[in-house]
C-alpha cells in the first residue's frame, strides 16, 4: 500500500493548506508564540498539534 500524494499550497496569509490525495486535509501556520514550530488545524479550524516543520505534518497526514 502506498500513501496518497500530498501538496502544500500557500494560503496567502503566511500558512499553508495541506491537500492529501487532492482533498483538503488541514492547514499549517507558523506558531507566533513558539518560533520555529508550526500549528496544524483541521478543516474546521480546531488545533491538531504543533510540529517542527510544515512538511513533517503534511507527510504525517499522507500516511
Amino acid at each position: 500500500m502506498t500513501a496518497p500524494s500530498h501538496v502544500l499550497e500557500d494560503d496567502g496569509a503566511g500558512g499553508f493548506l495541506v491537500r492529501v490525495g487532492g482533498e483538503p486535509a488541514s492547514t499549517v501556520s507558523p506558531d507566533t508564540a513558539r518560533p520555529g514550530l508550526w500549528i496544524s488545524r483541521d478543516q474546521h479550524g480546531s488545533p491538531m498539534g504543533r510540529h517542527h516543520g510544515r512538511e513533517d505534518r503534511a507527510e504525517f497526514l499522507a500516511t
Side-chain angles (χ1 to χ4, degrees):
M1 181 174 155
T2 60
S5 63
H6 66 278
V7 176
L8 290 170
E9 296 178 0
D10 189 338
D11 70 2
F16 295 86
L17 172 64
V18 179
R19 290 187 181 272
V20 177
E23 297 295 320
S26 85
T27 60
V28 290
S29 57
D31 186 341
T32 56
R34 294 172 180 86
L37 293 180
W38 292 76
I39 298 175
S40 61
R41 298 182 186 279
D42 67 14
Q43 298 93 332
H44 306 289
S46 299
M48 295 170 41
R50 289 184 173 88
H51 309 278
H52 290 285
R54 64 179 191 214
E55 188 65 32
D56 295 344
R57 185 60 183 171
E59 289 175 2
F60 173 79
L61 289 167
T63 57

